[in-house]
Amino acid sequence: SVLDTSQVHKSLLHVNDPVNLGIPSELDLAIEWLDSVPNKHPSTAQPPLASSAENGPPVGLLLVELHAGTGFPEESIVNMKKGLRWQCRLSNESQDPICSKKGTYVSDDSERQELESLPLDDVLFPIIDRLHERGVVVKEIASIVDVDEDTVSKYLAAKLAHMRQAEERRHKSTEAFLDVKWHETLALLVRSPEGSFLIVELIDASDHVV
């Protein structure tokens, strides 16, 4: 189906965004019907072949809320593109593990105070970081997140300065430990609740379980 983009604020988009270039925005949907409740069959009808609970329809939905934690090694977070992520899965279930986005961090009190002094909501920090990693210029980042260029520049300068300090600490073998937050909810389909238990694993930048 084609999306209606007539109400999109084009001034906030990249100059080469498909919407600005007049290219239709298409949405491809892949839909599967999940029978969470078995169909009723007449008593005279032959019952369907029994299937194992593992491959049967889901009977519930498990929501895992990820918030924040302390004491994560600095070297596993700073300058790592993937960062630290949580992986959740159910034992005895055929569903693939669900992985969170990488956590965001504040390296120390001085950085926290410096960032809090900026007129910038902390929910925008990871957005600015990702745009900067993609090579988006400051002017366009400021337009996308709807703040002034000076604020974005100060934020990026503060992040760069503290990343350099972290690199210096690693060279001196003085490792720091950081606070990391995710604030994300992962959803898992449950097919056999009696025989399953939740497995939560921390994944590093190399996709290895910590």
Side-chain angles (χ1 to χ4, degrees):
S1 60
V2 178
L3 299 178
D4 179 9
T5 58
S6 60
Q7 302 299 316
V8 174
H9 295 286
K10 297 182 179 180
S11 61
L12 299 179
L13 302 178
H14 190 278
V15 291
N16 293 325
D17 189 281
V19 174
N20 279 332
L21 299 178
I23 300 175
S25 298
E26 297 183 354
L27 180 64
D28 294 329
L29 298 177
I31 301 175
E32 178 184 1
W33 182 263
L34 298 175
D35 293 320
S36 58
V37 178
N39 293 326
K40 294 183 178 180
H41 297 272
S43 58
T44 57
Q46 185 174 358
L49 294 175
S51 60
S52 65
E54 180 181 352
N55 297 318
V59 297
L61 182 67
L62 176 63
L63 300 178
V64 182
E65 293 187 0
L66 305 173
H67 293 285
T70 62
F72 294 94
E74 185 178 50
E75 65 176 3
S76 65
I77 305 170
V78 179
N79 293 330
M80 295 296 179
K81 187 172 183 180
K82 290 185 177 180
L84 291 176
R85 294 151 293 145
W86 291 102
Q87 175 178 275
C88 297
R89 56 190 174 92
L90 292 171
S91 65
N92 302 326
E93 294 279 355
S94 58
Q95 181 183 358
D96 292 332
I98 304 297
C99 192
S100 73
K101 298 177 181 178
K102 72 175 183 178
T104 57
Y105 70 94
V106 177
S107 63
D108 52 34
D109 290 339
S110 62
E111 180 181 3
R112 184 180 292 106
Q113 292 173 1
E114 187 170 356
L115 295 181
E116 288 177 350
S117 67
L118 296 174
L120 191 64
D121 196 311
D122 60 0
V123 299
L124 296 176
F125 293 171
I127 298 174
I128 295 175
D129 291 340
R130 287 195 293 270
L131 291 172
H132 184 62
E133 289 173 1
R134 296 174 184 173
V136 181
V137 298
V138 171
K139 182 177 181 180
E140 293 182 6
I141 294 177
S143 179
I144 292 171
V145 300
D146 195 25
V147 298
D148 60 88
E149 293 181 43
D150 184 57
T151 299
V152 175
S153 297
K154 289 180 179 179
Y155 169 79
L156 293 175
K159 292 287 290 189
L160 179 60
H162 286 280
M163 287 173 65
R164 288 174 175 169
Q165 292 174 9
E167 190 69 27
E168 292 176 359
R169 283 194 294 269
R170 281 199 295 275
H171 286 311
K172 296 178 181 178
S173 299
T174 55
E175 185 175 56
F177 296 92
L178 312 180
D179 296 343
V180 184
K181 55 185 178 180
W182 288 268
H183 297 310
E184 183 178 353
T185 301
L186 304 182
L188 295 165
L189 294 175
V190 183
R191 289 179 171 83
S192 53
E194 296 83 3
S196 298
F197 55 88
L198 177 65
I199 300 173
V200 181
E201 300 166 316
L202 186 61
I203 307 296
D204 64 17
S206 301
D207 294 329
H208 296 145
V209 177
V210 177

